[in-house]
Amino acid sequence: MKEFWERLGYYLVGIVDAVGHKGGIWFLSANLKFSCKILWAMNQCVTLEIDGGGRRWICSAVYGSPQATNRVELWSHLLDIGLCIQDPWVVVGDFNDILSVHEVKGEAFVEVLSCSHSDHCPLLIRCQGVPIKKGNRPFRFQAAWATHPDYKAIVQKSWDSTGFGIHRKFLGVQEASLEFNSTVFGNIFIKKRELEGYLNRIQRKMEADDDPILKHKEEELRAEYNIVLAQEELLWYQKSRDQ
């Protein structure tokens, strides 16, 4: 990963390793003129002293635990830092928590940039200026897409037909996946409700008419419904971050 970021023009300043699929913080810099020194690090936060341009300031990068009991340790850590420093201090990242907008102090604003190399969006902090409109919704690969018989061919075609460079190929697959989701795969929950309605109507007809055509149609709908249920299970499994 270090070599990957260096090829993109960034160098590694500080790191907190992930535990399985959870957590993890990479602190990168694109400006070699700035001096960066790690002051404190814990599993949800890494804090650096940044010196450059005639100014010195403190930056804490946060990836808060999704479990509230674990975030207590983070809040305590940040309070301790606040008591130890005198320089300007910015705290940025994913807190996995919601605070009141009335608690915001300063004239600093955060712009959510479009994601390109990851499924996480970069955050750009502007210390002066006006509020910035939030960026586009980040791309999320849906594991349920892989259950559709046409999806593999769509990915392969996009990968082969897109220009040179891994980045451009991934963007091509991303665009093709979103188009596939919109025009072919559709909304799982809407499809589920529609199939439930079709099954209900077919089964009511079967109560009055023992037609083999109706029975065959019900079997087809049941098979399609089971596929949608499996896709829905994959979707919730992916959202739950379950390992």
Side-chain angles (χ1 to χ4, degrees):
M1 287 299 294
K2 181 176 180 291
E3 291 77 13
F4 170 79
W5 286 114
E6 287 177 348
R7 287 199 299 270
L8 295 177
Y10 297 92
Y11 70 95
L12 180 63
V13 176
I15 184 172
V16 173
D17 288 321
V19 179
H21 296 287
K22 299 179 180 179
I25 301 171
W26 284 64
F27 203 114
L28 308 167
S29 175
N31 194 331
L32 292 172
K33 296 180 181 179
F34 283 75
S35 172
C36 302
K37 180 176 68 175
I38 297 179
L39 299 179
W40 299 280
M42 50 103 62
N43 62 342
Q44 301 178 67
C45 177
V46 57
T47 301
L48 291 93
E49 178 186 80
I50 301 173
D51 196 343
R55 299 187 63 184
R56 185 176 65 185
W57 52 289
I58 308 298
C59 181
S60 295
V62 171
Y63 194 172
S65 170
Q67 297 179 340
T69 53
N70 292 340
R71 289 198 301 273
V72 173
E73 182 183 1
L74 171 63
W75 307 143
S76 177
H77 177 73
L78 292 174
L79 286 172
D80 289 342
I81 291 175
L83 296 174
C84 296
I85 61 175
Q86 298 295 327
D87 295 313
W89 181 32
V90 61
V91 184
V92 64
D94 185 352
F95 295 86
N96 269 313
D97 206 348
I98 298 174
L99 299 176
S100 169
V101 294
H102 300 295
E103 296 182 2
V104 176
K105 297 179 181 179
E107 296 177 347
F109 300 98
V110 175
E111 179 182 359
V112 181
L113 304 178
S114 299
C115 59
S116 56
H117 304 293
S118 168
D119 62 351
H120 284 60
C121 289
L123 302 179
L124 174 62
I125 302 175
R126 299 184 185 272
C127 296
Q128 294 179 349
V130 296
I132 303 298
K133 185 178 180 182
K134 198 171 184 179
N136 295 330
R137 185 178 180 182
F139 173 74
R140 294 284 188 272
F141 170 77
Q142 302 296 335
W145 292 339
T147 64
H148 195 285
D150 297 338
Y151 184 64
K152 183 178 179 180
I154 288 172
V155 171
Q156 189 67 57
K157 180 180 178 180
S158 175
W159 185 270
D160 293 339
S161 62
T162 308
F164 296 104
I166 295 295
H167 183 204
R168 286 192 57 82
K169 287 183 177 292
F170 275 124
L171 287 178
V173 171
Q174 173 180 322
E175 293 172 0
S177 297
L178 293 175
E179 178 69 17
F180 163 79
N181 187 63
S182 174
T183 60
V184 179
F185 194 79
N187 186 297
I188 291 174
F189 304 107
I190 293 177
K191 288 170 66 176
K192 178 183 175 182
R193 288 196 298 269
E194 289 176 347
L195 285 169
E196 287 172 342
Y198 295 152
L199 273 170
N200 185 47
R201 288 193 290 273
I202 287 288
Q203 289 168 353
R204 286 187 177 182
K205 289 181 180 179
M206 290 176 64
E207 291 176 358
D209 186 357
D210 190 18
D211 188 337
I213 296 178
L214 290 177
K215 181 174 177 58
H216 179 69
K217 183 63 176 177
E218 190 217 17
E219 291 174 351
E220 288 183 340
L221 288 172
R222 278 188 177 276
E224 190 175 352
Y225 185 62
N226 287 333
I227 292 173
V228 171
L229 289 179
Q231 292 170 345
E232 182 186 27
E233 184 178 9
L234 267 176
L235 179 65
W236 288 119
Y237 181 84
Q238 187 174 358
K239 286 180 177 293
S240 71
R241 298 182 179 178
D242 198 350
Q243 298 186 54

